[in-house]
Amino acid sequence: MKNLRLLIIALTLVTFFSACKKDDAPKVKTKSEMISSDSGKQWRITSMKAKYTLNGQQREEDVMNLAFDEACERDNLTVLFRNKTYEAREGALKCGSADLLDTGTWELKNNDTELHVTTPKAGSLYSTLKEVTETSITGEFPQTFPLTSGGTVETMVTVVYTAQ
C-alpha cells in the first residue's frame, strides 16, 4: 500500500511537471515588422522641424505648415505594406477627389538605419531613422531651402510619424 501511494504521488508529480512548460520569451519585432503590416500600417506626419545655421546662429523652425500649407495635406497618410510597397493616401480632410495620391516601394537599408522610399512622383527619398517603435517613427534628412534674399540654407529636417 505504501508503494502504491508513492507511485501515485510520483506519477502525479511527473504529470504536473511535464504539463508545465516554460513561457517563451516574447519575440522581439524587427523594425520592418514594427512599421508595416500585411494590410498596411498607416502613419501620419505629426511633426516636422528644420535645424539650420543662418548668419552664424543655430535655429530650429517648425516647418509642418510650410511643407503642408493646407489642413487637408497635414492629415494625409503614408501606408507601409509588409511586401515593401507604399501608398500615400488622403486623410479625413480631402484636398481632391482621389483617395490614392501616390504609390511606390520602400525598404530599410544600412543595417535598418535608413528608410528609402521610391515613387514615380517624388523619385527616391530617404530618411535616417533616429527612433522606431510600434507607434512612432522619427527620421531626419538633409534639405536645401531657398532664401528670399537669394542663396540657400542647408537644413536637417526631423520628421515624426505617428501610427494611426
Side-chain angles (χ1 to χ4, degrees):
M1 191 64 156
K2 192 176 194 181
N3 287 340
L4 182 60
R5 184 191 279 165
L6 286 174
L7 181 62
I8 291 172
I9 291 172
L11 285 174
T12 302
L13 288 174
V14 166
T15 302
F16 175 76
F17 285 113
S18 66
C20 295
K21 65 179 185 179
K22 292 182 181 178
D23 290 336
D24 292 331
K27 183 183 176 235
V28 177
K29 288 187 173 184
T30 65
K31 286 182 182 178
S32 181
E33 291 170 329
M34 285 191 272
I35 67 173
S36 67
S37 73
D38 290 333
S39 59
K41 188 157 183 181
Q42 297 182 2
W43 299 92
R44 184 173 61 83
I45 295 175
T46 53
S47 174
M48 184 179 286
K49 297 186 178 184
K51 290 183 183 178
Y52 60 96
T53 302
L54 187 62
N55 298 328
Q57 291 185 336
Q58 289 250 334
R59 298 180 183 200
E60 181 176 275
E61 301 289 334
D62 184 345
V63 294
M64 183 83 168
N65 292 332
L66 294 174
F68 309 107
D69 59 349
E70 300 281 336
C72 63
E73 294 173 328
R74 289 190 290 274
D75 76 338
N76 286 353
L77 300 171
T78 297
V79 184
L80 300 178
F81 294 90
R82 195 160 323 271
N83 68 359
K84 305 293 190 227
T85 59
Y86 141 91
E87 291 180 358
R89 297 180 184 165
E90 284 276 13
L93 302 173
K94 309 285 186 209
C95 291
S97 60
D99 282 337
L100 185 60
L101 303 172
D102 198 9
T103 61
T105 59
W106 68 271
E107 65 180 315
L108 294 175
K109 289 189 174 184
N110 295 332
N111 209 21
D112 292 350
T113 61
E114 292 181 355
L115 174 63
H116 289 244
V117 175
T118 304
T119 77
K121 290 182 180 177
S124 294
L125 309 168
Y126 80 93
S127 180
T128 301
L129 298 175
K130 294 301 180 186
E131 182 180 28
V132 175
T133 69
E134 293 272 349
T135 58
S136 72
I137 302 170
T138 302
E140 64 181 25
F141 59 92
Q143 183 71 43
T144 303
F145 287 103
L147 297 172
T148 55
S149 60
T152 59
V153 62
E154 299 295 322
T155 66
M156 185 59 71
V157 179
T158 302
V159 179
V160 177
Y161 287 85
T162 303
Q164 301 300 293

